[in-house]
Each structure stands twice: as C-alpha cells, then as structure tokens.
Amino acid sequence: MTLTSLMQVNPHLQNCLNDPGVIANAYRFVSFFDLPEEYVPTAEVIAASVYDHLARGHSCLPLTRLQEDIWFSGHINTENNLSKNSDHYDISSLQEKMYPGVIIANLPYFDEALSALTTASAPYHLVIEFDAIYMRSYQSLETKIAELLIEKNQVSCTPSSGNSDAVLHKLTTILPLLFPEGVINNTQALAVGNACHRMFSIINGGPGTGKTYTAARVLLALKFLSPQAKIALAAPTGKAAQRLGESIDAALEVFNYHPVLGESAQHIPKTPTTVHRLIGTGGHSKHAKYHRQNPLPFDVIMVDEVSMLDLRMTEMLLLACKPKARVIWLGDSAQLPSVDVGCVLEDLVGTIAKQTALSRSKVTADWLTALTGTCISESSKPDYDHVITLTKNYRSLNHINDMANAILAGEYSAFHQAYNSAEKISSSFVELEKMVNENQALQWHASDYTASVGQLIKQLASQYFAKIAQQNTISEALSLLQDLKILTPMRRGKLGVEDINSLVISTLDAKASVLEPWFKGLPIIVLQNDHVTRLNNGDVGIVWPNDKGELVAFFPVNDGQYRVIHRYRLPVFEPVYAMTVHKSQGSEFANVVLVLPEQHNELCHKELLFTGVTRARSHLMLTAHKPVLEKTLITSQKRDSYLSQRIFGGA
C-alpha cells in the first residue's frame, strides 16, 4: 500500500494531498531511514502528518491530535475491531506506553514505524516530548528560547543608577511628569515601572491601547536613569519599523523641550530598523552577524509587533542580545501569529490578557505598588510578572472596539450588533456611502456572492481608487491611498489579493497590463528586502511622474521626503489596492473593506478576523456570507506549542 493510497482512505490525511511539498518532504525524510519495506508507507504517513502540521505554523504534532484526527479515522485495535465511539475503549490504557500506540486497520505497523522514526541513533529523527511529535530542529528551538528567556526574565535595575531604592526614588519623581493625568491605577504607568524593573518585559495590548505611547515613556525613563544607555528599536518588517519610529517620535515630541526630561528625549533614537538588519542576517541567511559570542552593542533593545516573530527569528534575536541588555517587546497576542512556525508572543502572554485584576509575585507587587500607588495583589503563581496588558482603547471608534471584543468572545450576535451600529465607510466619502447603502444585501446573504463582491470592487476602483491619480501632489495621493484598503485572507484564488488587484487595474485602465501594470497613481508594495535601493519587504510606494515626466516609484521616508526608484531598479513588487490580512499587520487605515471568501476555509479564523477588523481606525465594511462569518468566529488558530510549559512548567 502506497502513501497516496493510505492518504486517500483517510479523511484527515487527504488534506496533505493539497500540498505536494508535504508529500515530497515526507518521502525525503523517510528515505534517510533504513526501514523494512512494509514499514515505509506508514512511516511516510506519520512524516506527512508532521510536515502538514508544521506547514500550518504549529511547532509540533500532539499525539492527541494524531489519535483523534488520524488513528480513529479508521478502526483501532485490529484484534477487537473497536471503533472510536466504542464503550470499551479506554484511553488511559494507552498512556502506559511512551506514546499511546495502537494498530489501525489502514495504518499497519504504526508502533514499529513511529519507534523507528524517533530513534536517536538516526541522523535525522523525530522526537517525542510533552506527548507530541517534534522535528528535532523545532524541539531544539523551543528549548533554546526557553533557556534564554528564563535567563533573561529576571528582576534587575539599571546598573548605572545604583540600588533599587535609588531607582525607585528617581522613577517616583519622573513618573508623574510622564503621566500628568495620574499614575494610580494607570496601566501604562505600571508598564513603564515593570520595564524599568525587569531585564525582559512585554507590553501587550490591542490597537489603540497606547503601546508605543507607553513604550516611548519607557525609553524616556530608562534614558533618564542611564543617560549613557545605547538603545536599539526594531520590528519584523520595514513597514512596522517605520510606523514604530513615527509613533515614538510623535509620543516624545511633547518632551523635547521639557525642563527635566528634554535632554533625555532628544537622545532617544527614532529610526528603527528591521529585526533582520539589526542582528545582521541580510534577510535570508540562517546565520547572523550578531550572536552570543558577538552580541549587539546595545543596553536596551525594544521590538514592536512581536506577534510576527517566528521561533527561528526569536532565537536569533535573543542570542544577539548581550546578557545584561534590557529587552522590551511590544505586541498584541490576539493578532495573527507569525507566518512561519511558532506563536511566541501568545505563549509568553498566556491568559493574563483575560485577567481584570492585577496580581504579581511579592517582589514585583511591592515594587509596582510603591512606584504607582496602585494596589497590586500577590499571586501564588507569578508566571507572568514580565507582562503588562493594556486594555483601554484611545484611538478606534466604539463600534470597532465592540466588534473586536465580540470576535475575541466568538459571539456572532454581538459582532452583528456592533457592525450595524455605525456607518461602514466614513461619511466624508459620499459616493462610497451611497454605494454601501446600495449593497447592504451583499454583507450577509448575496445570492451570487462572488459576482456581487466583484461589482463592489469595480465601484471602489471607479469611484475611489481612480481619484488617486487625480491628486495634485504625491503626498495627497498617498494620503488618499491610506484612507481605504481592501483586505482578504488569501493571496490567490477567487477574491484573493491577486484577483482583486487585477479587477481594480482592469477597471481603472482597460489597456493596462494586469501582469505588469505601471501607470500614474498605481500603489505598489515591495515583496523582498533590497540593500541597494534601501527598500524593505512591506514598503509601500506610488507610481508618479518625476520632474522629467517619467513614471517612477516614490517611497515616503522621514520628514516628507521620498526615495525615488526607477522601475528597472525596483526589487520584486506587486500592486497593493488589496493586501492580505497577514501583510497588513503593523498598518492601519481610516477605512477597511474586509472580504471573506464565499466558502469557509482554514484561513478564516477569529485571529485573522480580529486583525483585519482592527486595521480600521474609523470604519469597516465586511463582505461575508453569514455561515462563513459564523464559522470564522468560532474557529481559532491556536497553535500547538510547548514553549510556555518549558518556561513556566505545567501541562
């Protein structure tokens, strides 16, 4: 029996057939083992299951998932021919072995094949830990990250400021200057105090909760305490780094001439870089210039949008930090996890995001209480001393916040009510408002969904995107571009990014090349880092005439300046009327049109919906069938990982 035939009779494994890479990896992996011929098909099924799971971002494949999704899809225990629902089946008996081994009718020699694939004597082998199957490389990554974070996650005051009491006194003096509205029961003030108290800290919170506003005050406090401290700012993408710099700069502006904090404010760097460039990987290399033997020369390293960091980049970043460097992470654990394997921020934030009462270890509780006057209770299990979660939203309108909360709760009725509580598109766009009103049926029950969405896209193109090229200046065109963005879960297929961009382009200019468009007002996004042009993956620019009338690409940089690049010098790029929700992380737009597919798929989960909705600063229009939206709200992309258990213990 071949791998393909085994997969065809197994409903769960049929998903693997959708990815030829999974099958190829499974064949290649098993070829490293000298297995009896009869073991090979089952070994390939196991390997394909692991690779398929890793391709979805999980760091391991729990055996319970293997039991429920794979083993029981056929009959278990061929001697007794017991089915999954048999009253005689006792799962506890399976736990007596290293892994719960059973023989399946359509997976012969399962025990033998899994034992062979997990033997440590093989040059490449699987590992079973926490009752989960790991590729050895991902087990090593999780283990190393846990070791580094346990080492880093300690209480420590700034060395140059003396003892804890001296630091506390200085912070108590300047904290009211940082937060003139008051520090008692001020979560942002607590976050500043926590970051100054620990070598590793996380400021977690949703869009508009003031993460970078708070982070700027953390930097200001640390610079005041240690004027000679060298600070580095970074983010996973160029776009996120640019936004971090702009936000930090705006948040510090009020302090530039402050009698006490002005000098410190003026010496804080406001030009973040990407994490890749910070540690010196060049964007693609698995080896970094900076590592444990050659660490970064910075005393404070702050990283934004940490939800986008995968396991490998997290390990490389931590290894690049010198042991005494203070590491501060910013992020939103409710957003989409990294594109690659891992969910580091979610693992490190845990359930604290859901807690309403603050509780910490005695040392941390005493420090924060003394610093802010806030009553912090002592916790018997202080696993998350390093995290402060911000919850108050200062930016988005109430209906955006209400939708976000309904998504997190998985409540369709609450989401529907919040969605209908406000206009979907800002009233300043009269044509769009009229267009939306004419398409109300589209949102929930259009009879011909794809065609209806297509018509909506054409209206957006002709009534809105066409105006970009009609603006008098580049800055006006870019401003208009930022006012509206179409987001979708998919790159390809019907109503994917490529399909929507092609539809917009063909509507704007029937003569334009859909494959290689280039016309005035065309927005483009860079798809790879490029040192020559100093462009990063995620940078957005616009095609516009230069002084000679040539159509070139303008990319905004600091202070209203632009980087001008001729077409033939550009790295790989694509139009960006629409972008994936994943790609939109780190960005915000006044108005968002979020397009879900006609049929529910694995990309439609509440983390994606939350991220898409919260990209809207003011208004959202959603196109979705009601059943698709309902299923999306109850589907979670919780990734399988045991990083949290490695750090904090527990099962």
Side-chain angles (χ1 to χ4, degrees):
M1 201 176 223
T2 65
L3 168 62
T4 303
S5 61
L6 283 174
M7 293 166 74
Q8 285 174 337
V9 298
N10 188 297
H12 173 81
L13 291 175
Q14 286 175 7
N15 291 330
C16 297
L17 289 171
N18 295 327
D19 189 346
V22 166
I23 300 176
N25 284 332
Y27 283 140
R28 189 181 303 111
F29 180 78
V30 173
S31 70
F32 288 111
F33 296 82
D34 185 18
L35 300 178
E37 186 177 346
E38 61 269 23
Y39 293 5
V40 171
T42 296
E44 289 171 343
V45 166
I46 296 171
S49 302
V50 173
Y51 276 110
D52 180 61
H53 214 55
L54 295 181
R56 301 169 195 274
H58 306 277
S59 61
C60 59
L61 173 59
L63 289 166
T64 51
R65 286 190 181 272
L66 205 57
Q67 287 174 189
E68 297 166 1
D69 297 335
I70 301 174
W71 296 3
F72 295 158
S73 62
H75 293 291
I76 68 164
N77 195 328
T78 51
E79 284 188 4
N80 300 319
N81 197 31
L82 299 178
S83 68
K84 178 179 179 179
N85 296 321
S86 170
D87 293 335
H88 300 289
Y89 176 69
D90 181 7
I91 193 171
S92 63
S93 65
L94 301 181
Q95 303 298 334
E96 296 174 1
K97 298 186 179 183
M98 178 180 67
Y99 52 85
V102 292
I103 300 172
I104 308 173
N106 63 350
L107 290 180
Y109 305 106
F110 188 90
D111 276 348
E112 295 85 351
L114 186 55
S115 294
L117 295 179
T118 55
T119 178
S121 61
Y124 304 95
H125 62 272
L126 302 176
V127 179
I128 294 182
E129 188 180 10
F130 295 105
D131 288 329
I133 304 176
Y134 276 91
M135 298 296 293
R136 186 173 58 180
S137 59
Y138 288 118
Q139 183 211 33
S140 298
L141 280 173
E142 270 195 9
T143 302
K144 187 61 178 178
I145 290 170
E147 291 173 355
L148 292 168
L149 285 173
I150 290 171
E151 173 189 334
K152 180 66 68 176
N153 191 18
Q154 306 294 331
V155 170
S156 176
C157 292
T158 50
S160 63
S161 299
N163 59 36
S164 178
D165 290 340
V167 173
L168 182 65
H169 175 72
K170 287 185 177 181
L171 277 178
T172 304
T173 302
I174 66 167
L175 209 59
L177 304 179
L178 297 173
F179 299 98
E181 67 277 16
V183 299
I184 299 177
N185 296 321
N186 185 331
T187 313
Q188 293 178 336
L190 290 173
V192 171
N194 206 48
C196 292
H197 190 232
R198 310 191 65 82
M199 297 305 296
F200 173 72
S201 62
I202 295 176
I203 301 175
N204 179 57
T209 54
K211 292 189 295 295
T212 49
Y213 174 91
T214 305
R217 282 151 177 77
V218 169
L219 297 174
L220 191 51
L222 290 173
K223 196 68 174 175
F224 179 82
L225 293 171
S226 299
Q228 303 306 315
K230 296 181 179 179
I231 297 172
L233 305 177
T237 67
K239 184 64 176 178
Q242 179 185 343
R243 284 206 59 214
L244 174 62
E246 292 170 351
S247 299
I248 293 290
D249 190 23
L252 290 176
E253 187 175 2
V254 68
F255 295 105
N256 283 338
Y257 301 101
H258 193 280
V260 178
L261 300 170
E263 185 175 354
S264 299
Q266 292 174 24
H267 287 88
I268 293 174
K270 303 175 183 68
T271 54
T273 184
T274 64
V275 174
H276 292 85
R277 288 190 175 181
L278 176 69
I279 65 177
T281 65
H284 302 288
S285 173
K286 294 182 180 179
H287 304 284
K289 175 182 178 181
Y290 295 99
H291 44 76
R292 184 48 64 95
Q293 285 70 45
N294 181 38
L296 289 161
F298 298 106
D299 305 299
V300 177
I301 298 174
M302 177 176 284
V303 183
D304 194 13
E305 298 291 350
V306 176
S307 62
M308 302 167 82
L309 287 182
D310 58 49
L311 285 178
R312 192 172 303 282
M313 188 52 57
T314 300
E315 183 205 36
M316 296 174 77
L317 173 62
L318 291 173
L319 285 172
C321 301
K322 61 185 181 183
K324 292 185 178 180
R326 191 176 302 272
V327 176
I328 303 159
W329 284 357
L330 317 175
D332 181 359
S333 61
Q335 279 192 35
L336 286 166
S338 62
V339 175
D340 292 316
V341 172
C343 50
V344 176
L345 182 62
E346 185 180 358
D347 284 336
L348 295 178
V349 169
T351 59
I352 198 164
K354 300 178 181 178
Q355 296 177 359
T356 55
L358 284 168
S359 61
R360 296 293 187 273
S361 67
K362 177 173 173 50
V363 171
T364 301
D366 289 348
W367 167 271
L368 293 177
T369 299
L371 180 63
T372 68
T374 305
C375 182
I376 310 293
S377 60
E378 184 179 340
S379 171
S380 59
K381 294 183 178 180
D383 291 339
Y384 299 103
D385 272 14
H386 58 286
V387 185
I388 296 291
T389 296
L390 309 179
T391 55
K392 184 178 179 180
N393 194 298
Y394 298 89
R395 186 177 66 203
S396 300
L397 299 181
N398 287 337
H399 67 281
I400 299 290
N401 298 333
D402 292 343
M403 278 189 276
N405 292 332
I407 293 168
L408 294 178
E411 296 177 355
Y412 172 80
S413 58
F415 179 87
H416 196 185
Q417 181 178 355
Y419 180 80
N420 286 328
S421 69
E423 299 167 357
K424 310 308 178 295
I425 296 292
S426 167
S427 58
S428 62
F429 302 109
V430 178
E431 298 91 342
L432 288 180
E433 184 180 9
K434 180 175 182 293
M435 175 189 66
V436 171
N437 290 334
E438 292 172 351
N439 283 280
Q440 282 299 316
L442 170 65
Q443 276 70 52
W444 312 109
H445 48 75
S447 57
D448 191 345
Y449 181 77
T450 300
S452 297
V453 176
Q455 184 60 34
L456 173 64
I457 301 299
K458 291 179 181 179
Q459 288 178 288
L460 286 171
S462 60
Q463 298 182 23
Y464 184 79
F465 290 129
K467 294 182 178 180
I468 295 176
Q470 299 168 11
Q471 302 304 300
N472 295 321
T473 65
I474 302 171
S475 60
E476 290 174 351
L478 283 168
S479 177
L480 193 61
L481 177 63
Q482 283 295 109
D483 277 338
L484 178 67
K485 188 65 65 181
I486 304 173
L487 302 180
T488 176
M490 310 162 297
R491 275 195 55 80
R492 297 180 176 85
K494 290 182 178 180
L495 302 182
V497 166
E498 294 177 356
D499 185 46
I500 293 174
N501 281 329
S502 296
L503 193 55
V504 172
I505 291 167
S506 61
T507 304
L508 291 177
D509 187 348
K511 297 179 180 179
S513 169
V514 172
L515 296 178
E516 296 183 356
W518 194 258
F519 51 84
K520 182 182 178 182
L522 174 73
I524 60 175
I525 185 169
V526 175
L527 300 180
Q528 65 182 35
N529 296 335
D530 185 75
H531 291 295
V532 176
T533 58
R534 292 177 294 161
L535 294 176
N536 293 312
N537 181 13
D539 284 351
V540 173
I542 193 166
V543 177
W544 204 260
N546 62 12
D547 293 339
K548 298 178 181 179
E550 302 167 321
L551 287 178
V552 295
F554 285 78
F555 291 87
V557 290
N558 296 331
D559 302 324
Q561 302 299 308
Y562 298 92
R563 185 168 293 128
V564 182
I565 311 292
H566 284 269
R567 183 178 185 179
Y568 64 87
R569 295 187 59 206
L570 283 170
V572 179
F573 68 91
E574 69 179 6
V576 69
Y577 296 106
M579 65 196 311
T580 63
V581 176
H582 260 110
K583 202 77 172 179
S584 73
Q585 289 189 97
S587 300
E588 66 174 16
F589 311 95
N591 304 285
V592 166
V593 176
L594 179 57
V595 178
L596 295 187
E598 186 164 11
Q599 301 294 328
H600 186 274
N601 61 43
E602 63 181 12
L603 294 175
C604 298
H605 43 74
K606 65 180 184 180
E607 291 83 2
L608 178 133
L609 188 62
F610 176 88
T611 303
V613 166
T614 55
R615 296 313 89 200
R617 186 170 58 250
S618 299
H619 295 84
L620 170 85
M621 184 167 74
L622 174 70
T623 71
H625 269 320
K626 180 180 178 181
V628 173
L629 179 58
E630 286 178 325
K631 190 168 184 180
T632 299
L633 283 167
I634 62 173
T635 301
S636 176
Q637 199 196 30
K638 170 63 179 173
R639 288 185 172 177
D640 294 318
S641 163
Y642 290 90
L643 177 61
S644 177
Q645 286 84 340
R646 294 179 194 278
I647 298 173
F648 307 118

